[in-house]
Amino acid sequence: MGDGSITPRIGNMKALLGIVAGAGASYGIYKLISGVSIKRNKKSAASECPGVRSSSPSEVTLQPGSLLAKVSGLDVVCPRTADVVSGDIIHQSPDNLDPQHLKMLLSLLQTSANSSDRCRILVTLGNAAAFTVNQNLIREYEGIHTIAGFLSDSAAEVRVQALNTLNNLCMNIQNQEQIKIYVPQVLELIEVSPVNSDLQLGALRLLTNLSVSDKHQHLLKDSVTLLLSLLVVSNEALQVQALRVLVNLSSNPDMMDDIVQSQAPASVVLLFDARTASSVLLRLLMFAGNLKAWRPSAQVADELRRKQDCLFRVMLDESSQLHGRLVQLLSHPDGEIQAQVARILM
């Protein structure tokens, strides 16, 4: 189960359980750090992506003018400052786990029959995966596929922790190449899980990470209807997360044909209202701004008008109620919302 150079096996297991207990106790509660940066750019539409916070020397470098440099706002799972662990419990900071520990955790994850133990192991791996060196090691140890296997675990809390761990692993571009194959399964989790559940929220966070660049956005072209439906039935947290994905997708002109043809609930327009939470309304306006920047030919517009209940007719067609609602929002007390509205109406 562990590295062959470590003996005896019983000693390994005691040490490993100590690590899991210590890391689980110190880091078991996730701190959500969210920040929203709305920037105007004349050359490309607004979008949202993860902001990375790490105490390790390995940082994500944002190239000027790149998509990553233009976007921000993802809630990222980040480790808390370690509490003091007393007694004989072995305490390891998640950025200081040895490679052998990661191997042992992955092995134990596959053999654990107790759902609470699987949760604790996934929490430990997830916190470790907030650091680049561990992201690479977990990938090299085939850990991504091992962790993704628990997306179908019988325990909902295990599925949530698997999503959270994959979310942190997804901050690594190389890891995304392996994680992308689980997009259909993640979308299915959103569809079948209870509305406003931690499962839906975790799945949407993962999709936000994957949709931050245009490389994997095509995998989500059939998810627009699902995301729009979530907007009219979910709470504020879920609405914000669904909109982050929609903003990312709509920032890519190559995705626009698929987006505007997607079926959309007519009631989504009703969210453009002063009573809508500002965090939701602001992202709705970013999404609408991206849509308004798209200019179809007269022939394409006529074809879209014949598609009943498509997003084009709901939000972009001359018959849409959106324009009148945007005018009313010009008097919104939030200056940033006013600015977004003015940008769309220009």
Side-chain angles (χ1 to χ4, degrees):
M1 206 167 90
D3 196 306
S5 63
I6 303 175
T7 59
R9 184 173 180 179
I10 293 177
N12 284 344
M13 182 62 72
K14 289 182 178 179
L16 178 58
L17 290 177
I19 292 167
V20 176
S26 300
Y27 293 93
I29 302 175
Y30 285 110
K31 179 180 181 182
L32 300 181
I33 302 174
S34 65
V36 179
S37 174
I38 312 297
K39 296 184 179 180
R40 181 176 180 179
N41 189 296
K42 295 182 179 179
K43 294 185 177 180
S44 63
S47 178
E48 294 203 15
C49 82
V52 179
R53 295 178 182 269
S54 173
S55 60
S56 69
S58 300
E59 298 284 345
V60 173
T61 301
L62 302 184
Q63 298 298 325
S66 68
L67 180 61
L68 286 176
K70 300 171 187 172
V71 296
S72 65
L74 176 67
D75 291 333
V76 184
V77 179
C78 296
R80 297 174 61 185
T81 303
D83 299 325
V84 176
V85 180
S86 60
D88 295 327
I89 295 176
I90 298 175
H91 173 68
Q92 293 281 1
S93 178
D95 63 333
N96 198 34
L97 287 176
D98 292 334
Q100 64 190 22
H101 295 145
L102 293 174
K103 282 185 178 181
M104 294 164 68
L105 285 167
L106 290 167
S107 179
L108 185 59
L109 180 62
Q110 297 179 77
T111 57
S112 176
N114 187 290
S115 62
S116 62
D117 287 344
R118 294 197 295 277
C119 279
R120 290 172 64 195
I121 296 167
L122 285 167
V123 166
T124 305
L125 287 168
N127 286 322
F131 300 91
T132 302
V133 62
N134 294 331
Q135 292 168 359
N136 292 329
L137 286 171
I138 291 172
R139 181 184 67 252
E140 292 168 9
Y141 297 154
E142 298 296 325
I144 291 176
H145 300 304
T146 296
I147 293 164
F150 291 90
L151 292 175
S152 57
D153 194 273
S154 58
E157 62 269 23
V158 174
R159 298 197 296 273
V160 170
Q161 296 304 335
L163 285 166
N164 289 341
T165 304
L166 290 173
N167 181 47
N168 277 356
L169 288 166
C170 198
M171 302 300 290
N172 184 303
I173 299 298
Q174 289 176 285
N175 288 351
Q176 289 185 8
E177 291 301 316
Q178 294 187 19
I179 294 173
K180 70 180 183 181
I181 68 176
Y182 300 103
V183 166
Q185 192 173 356
V186 174
L187 288 171
E188 184 180 5
L189 274 176
I190 296 175
E191 291 188 60
V192 303
S193 299
V195 176
N196 298 326
S197 63
D198 288 340
L199 275 166
Q200 285 191 328
L201 192 59
L204 288 170
R205 286 179 180 142
L206 179 55
L207 295 182
T208 304
N209 259 342
L210 277 173
S211 64
V212 71
S213 71
D214 57 10
K215 189 171 185 180
H216 306 305
Q217 289 177 349
H218 65 282
L219 300 172
L220 297 174
K221 67 179 183 179
D222 295 326
S223 70
V224 176
T225 295
L226 172 62
L227 296 171
L228 291 170
S229 299
L230 285 175
L231 294 183
V232 299
V233 299
S234 302
N235 60 21
E236 180 180 345
L238 235 11
Q239 287 175 318
V240 167
Q241 208 63 51
L243 280 164
R244 282 175 170 158
V245 182
L246 287 169
V247 168
N248 284 348
L249 297 181
S250 61
S251 68
N252 183 356
D254 293 336
M255 289 291 298
M256 200 58 68
D257 286 346
D258 294 300
I259 292 173
V260 297
Q261 293 185 68
S262 300
Q263 282 195 311
S267 56
V268 73
V269 176
L270 301 179
L271 292 172
F272 290 86
D273 187 279
R275 291 167 293 184
T276 298
S278 294
S279 61
V280 175
L281 185 55
L282 190 59
R283 289 172 174 84
L284 267 173
L285 292 168
M286 293 171 66
F287 178 54
N290 288 347
L291 295 178
K292 288 285 189 179
W294 179 69
R295 295 287 186 268
S297 65
Q299 180 180 355
V300 170
D302 287 340
E303 291 177 359
L304 289 170
R305 289 188 183 97
R306 290 193 287 270
K307 292 182 179 291
Q308 189 174 5
D309 299 328
C310 73
L311 184 60
F312 176 85
R313 291 187 61 175
V314 172
M315 289 183 63
L316 296 179
D317 195 22
E318 294 176 355
S319 61
S320 171
Q321 301 176 22
L322 180 59
H323 181 81
R325 288 185 165 272
L326 289 175
V327 172
Q328 294 177 9
L329 288 174
L330 283 171
S331 59
H332 195 282
D334 188 312
E336 196 167 10
I337 287 176
Q338 289 182 25
Q340 287 293 324
V341 172
R343 179 177 70 90
I344 297 171
L345 292 176
M346 284 178 61

